[in-house]
């Protein structure tokens, strides 16, 4: 499988929200690459700065931990159901 095929397959699996986020990244990178020489492209963090929403920073601080806890809780619940079956 070529890299292009892999990328297309990966894009097909994205949710609408994930795809829109990816397109925002690609648009900004493309815009910046048109302005600057290829060797001076800004860091991705810098590129995405204009899309940052400071009001969501407090939510992001615990987002990973909460998502991991939720995932593992679901897993444990499924394991418990399987044991009882």
């Amino acid at each position: 499988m070529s890299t292009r095929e892999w990328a297309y397959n990966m894009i097909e699996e994205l949710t609408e929200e994930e795809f829109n986020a990816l397109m925002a990244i690609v648009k900004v990178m493309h815009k910046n690459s048109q302005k600057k020489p290829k060797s001076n492209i800004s860091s991705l963090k810098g590129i995405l700065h204009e899309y940052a929403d400071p009001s969501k920073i407090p939510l992001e601080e615990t987002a990973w931990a909460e998502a991991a806890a939720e995932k593992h809780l679901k897993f444990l619940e499924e394991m418990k159901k399987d044991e009882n079956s």
Side-chain angles (χ1 to χ4, degrees), residues 28-60:
V28 172
M29 290 177 67
H30 179 69
K31 183 175 106 177
N32 286 346
S33 71
Q34 300 300 311
K35 294 180 192 175
K36 301 175 184 177
K38 296 285 183 198
S39 60
N40 270 344
I41 293 179
S42 300
S43 72
L44 188 56
K45 185 176 179 180
I47 290 170
L48 297 177
H49 180 73
E50 66 186 81
Y51 288 95
D53 183 352
S55 69
K56 294 188 178 175
I57 291 173
L59 301 173
E60 294 172 353

